[in-house]
Amino acid sequence: MIAIVDYGVGNLFSLKSSFAAIGHEAVVTGDADTLRKADKILLPGVGAFGDAADKLRATGLDQVVIEEARRGKPLMGICLGMQLLFDKGYEYGEHDGLGLIPGEVRPIAEVIPAGLKIPHIGWNALRFTENKSPLFQYIKEGDCVYFVHSFYAANCEPDVIANAEYGALLTAAVQRGNVCGCQFHPEKSGKVGLHILKAFCEEGNLC
Amino acid sequence: MITKRIIPCLDVKDGRVVKGVNFQGLNDVSSPVELGKYYSDNGADELVFYDITASAEGRRLFTDILTEVARTIFIPLTVGGGINTVDDFDRVLKCGADKVSVNSGAIRDPRLIFEAAKRYGDQCVVLSADVKRVDGVFRVFAKGGRENTGMEAIAWIKKGVELGAGEIVLNSIDTDGVKKGFDLEMLDAVCSAVSVPVIASGGAGCIEDFVTLFQTLPRVDAGLAASIFHYGEVTIPALKQALKAHNIPVREV
């Protein structure tokens, strides 16, 4: 069973539906025991880094997610949920993340040329790195996924598994052992996105 | 490189898609769920569902249908029509919409844009503007293009972006339904005025109109159309092939 962490941030309807579409049971939960019993954990998120990090801490689920990840349980962060996996975020001030992947979350505006629109919104192609990930076993280099973000994960090169080109290479997906994350929305990325979720769900991947 | 988006728009009344749609393999040609899935499977990058229902009963049907669509389709969904309050945003977002498009409701009370953007983020708020030339000036029309508000369009759109609109759908009343191409002059004026994504609407009659749109105005992010897709005059796979052949980046399916 996949547990989708519910900490009052964002709409989890599409995410839950997308697991149903690939034949995997997913529950939306804010219950610590359910997270501990789950086979895999999915950390979603929309909005601002500091606000979401505070909400996650207020529920106490941040510690459960960290403990389960450290015990080796597969964990996937999506969009802001991916950003929270890092050490720090710099959106409206400096905020601590979960510290599960080394790196920090910084404004896209710092690295892309002036004149490009922010947020980076729309379908963009995945550029795989030399780090091979089982998450991509059903998709290919150049497949497009749907992005909506104004901040990106920086200084995390050793764990980047895919980038997207938008005036600069922006971190699209990361994996460090059993912990992974997608900056894009797999639940809004058509068949390609469902294939990534399917790979995440499969036994033995990211364990 | 971000790809150019191709967006079919479906008008829904009392839970059914209006304007007869006839594709091979579709059992129920006016089912929003079947049609949505058809477009999603055939390369649409996003779908717009526009609620043209007037009654409360029709509105309830629309939200039921939307929930069903969102359960079936895994590409971004934008919903418009009858959005007058933040509660209306809440109603359709809970059904699985990703973005909400405002038009007359924002004209009546521009604070709607600000309040919704504050609560759901700029990326969630799409400002849709129906614009027509009156004595050589771009004017904003309300109520489905029937009423001249007297507002100058570029100033209104800039104000909308300042209030928090994260995307603009520019529908040219002058070219809408004429099928002789998008309103490049009007689109250019809007693209020059704002830095958020601009979606072109109104006037597409054939594949070449989309090629001309993206070649002439590289700052336009997406092309939206309804009847030419519904009647099969243009299919999205063929359109994307043609765009690709002209080195315009598209998502291939």
Side-chain angles (χ1 to χ4, degrees), chain B residues 22-35:
Chain B
N22 206 350
F23 291 124
Q24 283 191 340
L26 271 186
N27 295 322
D28 181 353
V29 295
S30 57
S31 156
V33 179
E34 279 216 35
L35 250 173

Side-chain angles (χ1 to χ4, degrees), chain B residues 33-51:
Chain B
V33 179
E34 279 216 35
L35 250 173
K37 185 159 172 24
Y38 175 87
Y39 280 126
S40 171
D41 289 347
N42 285 281
D45 296 311
E46 194 168 319
L47 289 175
V48 174
F49 281 83
Y50 208 77
D51 184 8

